[in-house]
Amino acid sequence: MEYILLIISAILVNNVVLAQFLGVCPFLGVSNKVSTAIGMSGAVTFVMVLATMATYLIYTYILLPLGIGFMQTITFILVIAALVQMVEIILKKISQGLYQALGIFLPLITTNCAVLGVAILVIQKEYNLITGVIYGGATALGFGLALIILAGIREQLELADIPKGMQGVPISLITAGILALAFMGFAGLV
């Protein structure tokens, strides 16, 4: 039951983008098409779960025993960068279309503060490895859910008659704000 509450909380109540405002850059940048948003969600989920696992193990078994826990941020950034490079190489070999569709945004996962934020939150909340990985996966699913919803709305907005001054980024920010308000409705759920 504890894990179910953690998953629901990470996906809906404490959504990493809409409640904690982490990962806003790829959230707004990749949400033009649903297909690209799905690909980005998959890549972020893969990286976030692996990064959570790797950073937890490095922090627990290397940094803490050596008494250099204060090096967690720089260490986590390096680990995440290495994992993103690995994902980029794999995507280039497996799915050339998805690799080209993601374009510049795939390397941006390296600087996606949602991935780093989750790795740090797992340590701060003193989760064990299993709970941390579940939290990382659920947070990534919440990121993907918000990204795909916004992409679907933005695709529909292209068909709408929007005043010229509101087209593009302004209507996207307003839509993201309304989406965040909608997710606030889940606040009493957990």
Side-chain angles (χ1 to χ4, degrees), residues 111-176:
T111 58
N112 186 346
C113 56
V115 178
L116 179 61
V118 168
I120 291 173
L121 283 172
V122 166
I123 300 301
Q124 286 179 348
K125 293 182 179 189
E126 298 179 356
Y127 288 149
N128 61 30
L129 180 60
I130 294 170
T131 306
V133 170
I134 290 172
Y135 176 74
T139 302
L141 290 175
F143 176 83
L145 176 68
L147 185 66
I148 292 167
I149 290 172
L150 184 64
I153 293 171
R154 285 180 74 178
E155 281 185 356
Q156 292 297 315
L157 285 174
E158 288 190 17
L159 303 174
D161 186 27
I162 299 170
K164 187 171 178 117
M166 293 296 293
Q167 291 176 356
V169 175
I171 196 68
S172 296
L173 290 172
I174 291 169
T175 304

